[in-house]
Amino acid sequence: MDAEKRLPFASDYQQGAHPRILERLAAANMEANPGYGTDAHSDHARELIRTACNAPQAEVHFLVGGTQANAVAIDALLAPWQGVVAADSGHVSIHEAGAIEACGHKVIQFPEKDGKLNAADVDAMATSWEQDENHDHMVMPGLVYISQPTEYGTLYSLDELSALRATCDAHSMKLYVDGARLAYALAAPSNNVQLSDLARLADAFYIGGTKCGALLGEAMVFPKPSTCPHFFTLMKRRGALLAKGMVAGIQFETLLDGDLYQQIGTRAVEQAGRIAQAFQTAGCELMHPQETNQVFVALDEKRYAQLSARVEMSFWEQLADGRTVVRLATSWATSDEDVDALAALLGGIVLPGN
Amino acid sequence: MDAEKRLPFASDYQQGAHPRILERLAAANMEANPGYGTDAHSDHARELIRTACNAPQAEVHFLVGGTQANAVAIDALLAPWQGVVAADSGHVSIHEAGAIEACGHKVIQFPEKDGKLNAADVDAMATSWEQDENHDHMVMPGLVYISQPTEYGTLYSLDELSALRATCDAHSMKLYVDGARLAYALAAPSNNVQLSDLARLADAFYIGGTKCGALLGEAMVFPKPSTCPHFFTLMKRRGALLAKGMVAGIQFETLLDGDLYQQIGTRAVEQAGRIAQAFQTAGCELMHPQETNQVFVALDEKRYAQLSARVEMSFWEQLADGRTVVRLATSWATSDEDVDALAALLGGIVLPGN
Amino acid sequence: MDAEKRLPFASDYQQGAHPRILERLAAANMEANPGYGTDAHSDHARELIRTACNAPQAEVHFLVGGTQANAVAIDALLAPWQGVVAADSGHVSIHEAGAIEACGHKVIQFPEKDGKLNAADVDAMATSWEQDENHDHMVMPGLVYISQPTEYGTLYSLDELSALRATCDAHSMKLYVDGARLAYALAAPSNNVQLSDLARLADAFYIGGTKCGALLGEAMVFPKPSTCPHFFTLMKRRGALLAKGMVAGIQFETLLDGDLYQQIGTRAVEQAGRIAQAFQTAGCELMHPQETNQVFVALDEKRYAQLSARVEMSFWEQLADGRTVVRLATSWATSDEDVDALAALLGGIVLPGN
Amino acid sequence: MDAEKRLPFASDYQQGAHPRILERLAAANMEANPGYGTDAHSDHARELIRTACNAPQAEVHFLVGGTQANAVAIDALLAPWQGVVAADSGHVSIHEAGAIEACGHKVIQFPEKDGKLNAADVDAMATSWEQDENHDHMVMPGLVYISQPTEYGTLYSLDELSALRATCDAHSMKLYVDGARLAYALAAPSNNVQLSDLARLADAFYIGGTKCGALLGEAMVFPKPSTCPHFFTLMKRRGALLAKGMVAGIQFETLLDGDLYQQIGTRAVEQAGRIAQAFQTAGCELMHPQETNQVFVALDEKRYAQLSARVEMSFWEQLADGRTVVRLATSWATSDEDVDALAALLGGIVLPGN
């Protein structure tokens, strides 16, 4: 381990793209493609996504990043008098610099549990709005935002997702799933929500590229056609349309053509599992169940100082008892060597990598 | 020439990136970089840009595309009560789906001449606003938008640019230069406006990447520091912040490290010159002077039919006399073979390529 | 005539309200009404308006002022990807401080003739948009804005209005009529457009109160129900909902209960006719036909100086020949004495007032 | 008591205006005033407000209603990257249909206690934002919104207000006070915050008219000049500018010329005190201290049914124990007879009215 270079667990977007993506970009480099996502690669990627989602009528649009994807799609899905229901910990609630509000919509925030919204809580809130005789003076809850996996790396079960869908139906709300890290959900041993379930249950969701091995790009899926008319123009209006649309198209073509997206997810989840085990073996408490590629762990002062010097991690929060919560994230690029080195730092024993 | 494949002159963003860019992206692929433009490549690219602009204090931010760059920067430069002054033909006026208005600002449009605004006209308009006793009920002209080269491929001379700057100063307006195709301006034989002039005369401008050989990316330059406080957050709020910021950083590092940006421009302008000459030799009228990488030419019905079958061009407009105006664009990727093939179609004689 | 006090022809909103309105406000003052327009006066006013418009299904909402009415209704009528087509001289184009753009929509401006849009021009523009192969990158024309009478006091004939409606139908656009001064149109001898015509031909229009004898208030009429769902909440969201809704309701109840609105219009148009005649007799040129309550007249330097000292007028523009165009406006409050005094200043002979 | 007519305690905006206001409006009706708040009455009202606030440099603007006043002023006070800190119960948080968000800003909500924010909580939140290493991805807290009295009729003490000011200073935030019901705060026996304190401690506040005896109107006070440049145009842009500005000017002139505003407040607070006492005597629990003109009381099922049939009240919430919380509000128009009648219904003994 290079003393100068800390182990890279700060995020899942530190490296470039999975090598196969770079190869495909290079191979197509001299093609003369039409712009703005009308090229054959983008069309092929759309077809692969429709097939993977078992949603032959789905409309698919490629956006650049997660905040942009959320803002453009949620604004398109909402009427002007409606707002988004989200967990306090939701990306749209706190980590997008007010992008939803910049489009004119309120984020109606809820306390979360392990990063998740509960159907019963959402139902109670929507019912309360409906029964309030002044509700025409209030923002109508129009859409439920969740992320799969959540910002804490946890997963909605199929039952939980179905319950949210039923709640949305009962209150004429839309259901939107932020899949910035969807590869890691799909690859999680504890997961029972497949792409076809998302397509069946959500009004819109996106298959994350940036945090799942692409240079950039998020594939927004509207399972039912005409969900958002003129979405192309809405993307343009928000500066979200790539001139060289094939740059996104080729990447999703690569991720979905075969099982690369699954491979990327599986690899990262396994490495995260090894890391979680190493921390637990070392007596450190996990703050949330490690189900996907993120590990949230509480470190005492000494351990925090030791690791900070050698490991790139994300500071998460300070606990009242003096411990520091940090997040470690893995990706396709996480090497066995780096996981082993981390385990060695922790003095623990870890399962062999693959 | 493949009968199935038409000659690719539809735009300057049909191919991927200049090969050197792909090489550098591949070389850096396994580096663990911090996100959001805080990486060393982005910093290096910023430093190269400051040097090239002779603007050591300049702030530089990397955005993804032109419409986004314009909307985010212009919104940041304007007060809420101000609007943008632009030519009718300006990209912000007609081809950005209302992105400026989506940020709450009016585009105050002016008739253009060869795609350009005239300082005297702008001065008259601003004076008229100032003298109107009801001007507090009107949108204040706050910023002049021009593009270099213009949407018609023409160039502002240093005198014209200086006159616009003086007009802006006289009326407390800002001057913004859209450099989506700046490489082709800088490389034009008729150009006398250098990067350092832009940095001296404009409040903000961007060095175009997408249309000048990159996969994507535009480098916004604020020559004076603190021109737009919290621009990073404003980018995030508009969904314009790349998580993997190094993807833009590496590309601009490559373009500006050495003379690649100049090379790309020079090559394309020369090829456009050959194309313009071929058309003129064939008796076709150019609608605007060919100064950069775009050729606007009027074709009679027969010629239009002939070329449409063999050449990808952009339809521009229908003239009253029955002719069709089309646009041909060149780039780093324009081959001698394709230019020769076009010249052959036109039956003309062209200068040898290089 | 008081030497200190100039004759009040600056606008049609200089005085308070028609005395009958004040009486009715006073009479209802101690009633305990529910808020936000749900009171019996507002309901009665709505019913009177539906009857006057021969539109029994119409939805009617009371807003406070013209700019607000335009912005809230047009934003509600447009999809996010659409813009407003308006004359250069339209109130939404220049005298509302960018209120339409502040709601995110472009005003697509057209040259006017006597303040009016021409159906053929609008048709050509919409056709051009439809045929442009890049129109998904452009703002879709979604609504045609006109004012009746126009900002220059001129009138659309029923044929012209019908032609605009046909054009709107042909291009799936909505037709919106700004009736800030509608009383003066309805009372004009040259007018052949009745309230029922507006209700039949427009998707939305408002019956102006502020400039037609009320303290404030504009009655927005959506002839077809459900044209703008949740318009109440949209008004609230834009700060356009009066808590004491009866203040607007009582005023429109007064204006429409009987022929007060007609009386107010007739009186003002007659006085404007006398003023126009006095100017013409004095050899001054009218810039637009005087059809309603506004007189636009060009004054040479001497005449302008003479009148400015004695008459409140609105400066309109400076002509190249040195003359100044001013606007004089009349209202219910314009007295015979003041018109006579103006005529005396002009040295002309005027028809007796009534 | 008329069996058909219930006692009017639903709100403080059920009746028209204090009779003296109507008199003054009628007296000035035939004056020819300039528009948009440039008239002598508005100027006089501004001067009276400056004097009452001991703020000779203050800028004063008249808006129409509370939601509008909040949205226009807060949008003017905030930078685009900033949001509003408010209590969950704040008017901007829940009862303005997302008007703040429609201007592009997030409302960062906090749990309230008796409708109030606590300086320590605000300080902790702002500190947390400052210390978060990702805060450039988050909405910056830019302004603290409070209402005096609060939505629950409670009051900030001078100490509490000073503490909030200090917190704002410590974190470069602005302090904004919604004074929709300010007359009742100023008249409350428990109040120790005067207009001059507000002018000294707040960056902006408004003196409520609509809910304090006017037909409409709120007087926005910026104690320091140039706090919000071009506020006039910002009002216009949001449709908040009254053409007949004297309608607001005359009302505030009347309220502030002498002690009418104080009288109105005192009368209402006394009546609310009698009502609170009657409820307490009848064994009903007050949910918040009755300090101003609002009484929040929990009623058991039987009592609620009895009163609902005879009294107009506002439903507030359902308690888990089956009781219903209602709000009663008083105003200048609340008669002794109505309060006596309510007390009689409650079977209680009340202090004599005055």
Side-chain angles (χ1 to χ4, degrees), chain B residues 198-257:
Chain B
L198 291 172
R200 184 170 47 86
L201 296 170
D203 293 282
F205 65 99
Y206 75 86
I207 302 174
T210 307
K211 293 176 177 169
C212 300
L215 289 176
L216 54 86
E218 323 295 332
M220 184 66 61
V221 182
F222 299 112
K224 295 191 211 79
S226 303
T227 298
C228 290
H230 296 271
F231 194 73
F232 180 95
T233 301
L234 294 178
M235 287 171 64
K236 179 76 182 178
R237 180 177 181 251
R238 295 289 181 196
L241 196 61
L242 272 175
K244 296 186 178 173
M246 72 272 194
V247 172
I250 290 168
Q251 295 189 79
F252 276 96
E253 199 181 17
T254 310
L255 289 169
L256 273 292
D257 190 4

Side-chain angles (χ1 to χ4, degrees), chain D residues 55 71 114 157 170 173-174 181 212 222 227 232 255 281 313 321 326 329 338 344:
Chain D
D114 279 334
S157 70
M173 295 190 292
K174 286 175 174 145
R181 295 187 168 94
C212 299
F222 298 111
T227 299
F232 180 95
L255 289 170
T281 304
M313 312 173 292
D321 63 12
V326 297
D338 285 347

Side-chain angles (χ1 to χ4, degrees), chain B residues 95-153:
Chain B
H95 285 126
E96 300 190 350
I100 299 293
E101 291 85 357
C103 295
H105 300 287
K106 186 178 186 68
V107 181
I108 304 165
Q109 296 180 207
F110 259 69
E112 47 74 36
K113 184 154 175 358
D114 278 333
K116 292 193 275 182
L117 285 181
N118 181 291
D121 288 347
V122 173
D123 183 71
M125 183 280 299
T127 301
S128 160
W129 179 87
E130 286 161 7
Q131 294 179 348
D132 193 314
E133 61 187 23
N134 288 317
H135 70 220
D136 287 342
H137 297 251
M138 299 164 72
V139 174
M140 179 195 287
L143 178 148
V144 172
Y145 165 95
I146 60 170
S147 40
Q148 176 79 334
T150 70
E151 290 75 9
Y152 294 154

Side-chain angles (χ1 to χ4, degrees), chain A residues 78-290:
Chain A
L78 290 177
W81 56 86
Q82 295 177 324
V84 185
V85 178
D88 275 341
S89 54
H91 208 254
V92 295
S93 300
I94 45 164
H95 284 125
E96 301 190 351
I100 299 292
E101 292 85 358
C103 295
H105 300 287
K106 185 178 185 69
V107 181
I108 304 165
Q109 295 180 208
F110 258 68
E112 48 75 34
K113 183 154 178 355
D114 278 333
K116 293 193 275 181
L117 285 181
N118 181 292
D121 289 347
V122 173
D123 183 72
M125 184 280 301
T127 301
S128 160
W129 179 87
E130 285 162 5
Q131 294 179 348
D132 193 314
E133 60 187 23
N134 287 317
H135 72 220
D136 286 342
H137 297 250
M138 300 164 71
V139 174
M140 179 195 288
L143 178 148
V144 172
Y145 166 96
I146 60 170
S147 40
Q148 174 80 333
T150 70
E151 290 75 10
Y152 294 154
T154 55
L155 292 170
Y156 285 89
S157 70
L158 188 53
D159 282 352
E160 289 171 329
L161 193 67
S162 300
L164 281 168
R165 173 75 267 172
T167 298
C168 286
D169 285 342
H171 301 286
S172 301
M173 295 190 291
K174 286 174 175 145
L175 180 59
Y176 176 90
V177 182
D178 181 333
R181 295 186 167 95
L182 192 55
Y184 311 119
L186 296 174
S190 56
N191 178 58
N192 67 347
V193 175
Q194 308 308 324
L195 280 173
S196 58
D197 297 315
L198 290 172
R200 184 170 48 85
L201 295 170
D203 293 282
F205 66 99
Y206 76 85
I207 302 174
T210 307
K211 293 177 177 168
C212 299
L215 289 175
L216 53 86
E218 322 296 331
M220 184 65 61
V221 182
F222 298 113
K224 293 189 212 81
S226 303
T227 299
C228 290
H230 296 271
F231 194 74
F232 180 95
T233 301
L234 294 178
M235 288 170 64
K236 180 76 182 177
R237 181 177 181 250
R238 295 289 181 197
L241 197 61
L242 273 175
K244 295 186 178 173
M246 71 272 192
V247 173
I250 290 167
Q251 294 190 79
F252 277 96
E253 200 181 16
T254 311
L255 288 170
L256 274 291
D257 190 5
D259 65 350
L260 182 58
Y261 200 64
Q262 183 71 28
Q263 275 181 41
I264 286 171
T266 300
R267 169 77 176 175
V269 175
E270 285 173 358
Q271 300 290 50
R274 296 173 65 214
I275 291 170
Q277 190 181 341
F279 274 111
Q280 288 182 298
T281 303
C284 302
E285 184 190 3
L286 300 189
M287 300 308 287
H288 301 287
Q290 177 270 316

